[in-house]
Amino acid sequence: MKNTLYFLFTILLFLSGCKINEEKSVDNSQLKAPSAKILPEKLTNHGDTRIDNYFWMRLSDDQKNSEIPDNQTNDVLGYLNDENAYLKEAMKHTEVFQEKLYNEIVGRIKKDDQSVPVNDNGYSYYSRFEEGADYALYCRKKIEIDKEEVLLNGPEMAKGFSYFGVGARSVSPDNKLLAYGIDTVSRRRYSIYFKNLATGELLLDVLTNTSGEATWANDNKTVFYTKKDPVTLRTDKVYKHVLGTDQSNDVLVFEEKDETFGCGVIKSKSKKYIMTVSYQTLSTEYSYIDADNPNGNWTIVQPREKDLLYNVDHFGDNFYIRTNLNAKNFKLIKTPISKTAKENWVDVIPHRESVLFEGFDIFKNHLVLTERINGLTAIRIKKWEGDEYYLNFSDPAYLANPTSNLDYNTSVLRYSYSSLTTPSSTFEINMDTKDQVLLKQQEVIDPNFLPDNYTSERLFATANDGTKIPVSLVYKKGINKNENTPLLLYSYGSYGSSSEPTFSSTRLSLLDRGFIYAIAHIRGGQEMGRYWYEDGKLLKKKNTFTDFINVGEFLVSQGYTSSEHMYAYGGSAGGLLMGAVLNMKPELWNGVVAAVPFVDVVSTMLDETIPLTTFEFDEWGNPKNKEYYDYMKSYSPYDNVEAKEYPNILITTGYWDSQVQYWEPAKWTAKLRELKTDDNLLIMDCNMETGHGGASGRFERYKRTALTYAFMFDLEKITE
């Protein structure tokens, strides 16, 4: 936990160390930007030497948690606080507007909202917010009895913490005990607690340094959980804990010794089996035991192999497995529980070149498949014996997925749906009769909001190599699309994670002020199939960046905007995208927002003590190999900053970020300040309380959203 003395010290630094001009002018050229000290560090690999002037900004966890900061810590905190002070001064003239935007954004959110209840084992589970509360109440009711039990009172539990995150929650099979994870630092290291749901009392058992998830055996007293390496935060061990015993006595049931893998533990939908899973980018491995026998011997489903991915569920006498075995776009197979090795696998849904098979849900009489066809999700319902059909969706771009289907013995499928103009909606459909009911649609608290007031489009841009790149757009009806129209282009483009065209009530603040919002479905995601991902990783990673640039150029050529009014936004690995396109095509953008950006690619991937490094070698490459080192260095945003003009830039980070350490955006900001030749605005917002996901409260996070929007509106001379 962050020490009070430590934060008093940072406040003193902030008050005494600000290096900004007293001038109140909004002209950026009249503000004195922070100046980070230069301490050249030679970094030599493969006979190549890089000079890192800001290597000193990296602090260890021990330094960050120390009650008495050392000189290096003082220097780092001084610089971060200087940047925050400069940000405040540079954006001071927008503070009233930011407050208006914040109130506008949170004003659209239903204050006493409640999730759609999910039935499980005789109870109906849901979360709800009380009006004005930042944190949720986690509740349940016995089915057919309208009496609420509050399992966790988020607002009460969060008191006294600057950050409060609730992890996974799982109830014992007899419904009497709750296991739940809590993180109060924002480093994704959870402690698991246990609560007696009859008395409300906490058990003495506390499991520390975990991923936040506990999986119950069927005896109601044994749980399995994963622990993290204290340095890299890799989940590398699965333990068995018996309630009433000390954590030091827990039994290690599995250790993932390969540093390129992480591991987890889950329970099958049938609740018959507990499974460990080892995973990395290109390989998985499952093992299982009977959930009725938590002390039994573990059996491997299929030993790991390079380039073999699979995930497992159970039904009847078989395991059903989604796999890429001889199937680039994946297929569904089944195998007897007694014979699980791949030579026994039999196709259920064969591989298709034009369809990405994304997932499946098993029911007593139906098999439900989630597919992606031409970049859009599709839900396919198939009787085990009989007909099949697809659900129909009419929006040009959307996302539809089965959700919260915990029961085998039902003919009702629950699924979610959202589009760029349709708020998030939850439906149930009778898979036999096809009758549907809308259970809930996100309520937008705005009397002027109507979905029909907005238009969605789906276009295709052409990449440098001739590849067609899907583009999803939304804007308010009636706006004039021309070279003066402001446009925000977003994407992610890594890990095979698709950038989905879903609704955002927050985004209305942009659309209602004349912005077009566009999503570039670039390679590195998986929108167009597995090859789409493979063409945007490793030694093809630059396709991700050039695709994004090509989409931007396409939107300009089609008259949607111009470079004087186009903005780009991306976060985390999407922040890498922002950094790369800033170096490659700075003149294409009027402003760029890089959130928690992964920008120091070479140094991070060379350092195996940093979280996420080792098991991402198959995503980015291992720079200990010269071929990958040279390729990474050729696009790494930090290594390619040059003395040239850059557009206006807003960079955001969190001091406690475990995914992208704060020093990457901090170093990048300092180097941009050192080398850029323009007077355009460069500001960094370092939240000293949070990590990768930002603020934990329901509303607090929107203050950064308001800042981001104000940054772009200010550049567009939009003041209200």
Side-chain angles (χ1 to χ4, degrees), residues 114-152:
Q114 178 178 309
S115 67
V116 179
V118 176
N119 294 342
D120 185 31
N121 198 24
Y123 281 84
S124 180
Y125 291 87
Y126 58 95
S127 62
R128 65 178 179 84
F129 287 94
E130 294 184 335
E131 187 160 351
D134 254 334
Y135 297 91
L137 298 164
Y138 299 93
C139 310
R140 73 175 182 180
K141 294 180 181 179
K142 217 165 192 177
I143 293 176
E144 298 180 355
I145 298 178
D146 191 23
K147 182 180 179 181
E148 181 179 82
E149 296 178 47
V150 177
L151 308 183
L152 296 176

Side-chain angles (χ1 to χ4, degrees), residues 263-278:
C263 65
V265 59
I266 59 174
K267 201 171 191 178
S268 64
K269 180 177 177 178
S270 65
K271 302 182 181 179
K272 172 68 175 172
Y273 295 102
I274 293 171
M275 300 181 179
T276 65
V277 54
S278 291

Side-chain angles (χ1 to χ4, degrees), residues 574-585:
L576 162 64
L577 169 65
M578 296 299 101
V581 302
L582 273 169
N583 287 329
M584 297 168 70
K585 199 77 172 180

